[in-house]
């Protein structure tokens, strides 16, 4: 499962973040490089590995909860 959302860098610049549910660890640097090669400027700036993507009862991503989870 993957969700893409807007984020902000430590310097305050807007970024694209991707949150990915994965049972196995992955190399984030390598993944970001591959995504940049395929997607160019639309590739995410950061990739996060999480245990689950928060969703509402009807399955919609809860972006506020997801962002809070990524920042904690």
């Amino acid at each position: 499962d993957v969700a893409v959302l807007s984020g902000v860098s430590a310097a305050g610049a807007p970024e694209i973040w991707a949150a990915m549910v994965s049972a196995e660890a992955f190399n984030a640097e390598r993944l970001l490089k591959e995504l940049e090669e395929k997607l160019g400027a639309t590739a995410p700036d950061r990739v996060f590995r999480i245990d689950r993507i928060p969703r509402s009862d009807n399955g919609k991503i809860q972006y506020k909860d997801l962002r809070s989870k990524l920042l904690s």
Side-chain angles (χ1 to χ4, degrees), residues 14-37:
E15 291 185 324
I16 301 171
W17 293 353
M20 188 167 100
V21 176
S22 176
E24 298 179 20
F26 58 87
N27 183 320
E29 271 187 49
R30 192 170 111 216
L31 178 59
L32 286 170
K33 184 177 178 180
E34 290 176 17
L35 290 171
E36 189 175 313
E37 289 172 3

Side-chain angles (χ1 to χ4, degrees), residues 4-63:
V4 177
L5 65 156
S6 62
V8 179
S9 73
E15 291 185 324
I16 301 171
W17 293 353
M20 188 167 100
V21 176
S22 176
E24 298 179 20
F26 58 87
N27 183 320
E29 271 187 49
R30 192 170 111 216
L31 178 59
L32 286 170
K33 184 177 178 180
E34 290 176 17
L35 290 171
E36 189 175 313
E37 289 172 3
K38 292 180 181 184
L39 302 174
T42 61
D45 299 292
R46 295 180 68 184
V47 176
F48 299 84
R49 181 175 173 234
I50 59 174
D51 58 341
R52 69 175 190 82
I53 293 174
R55 294 185 182 272
S56 66
D57 291 338
N58 62 357
K60 293 190 177 205
I61 296 171
Q62 300 295 293
Y63 287 100

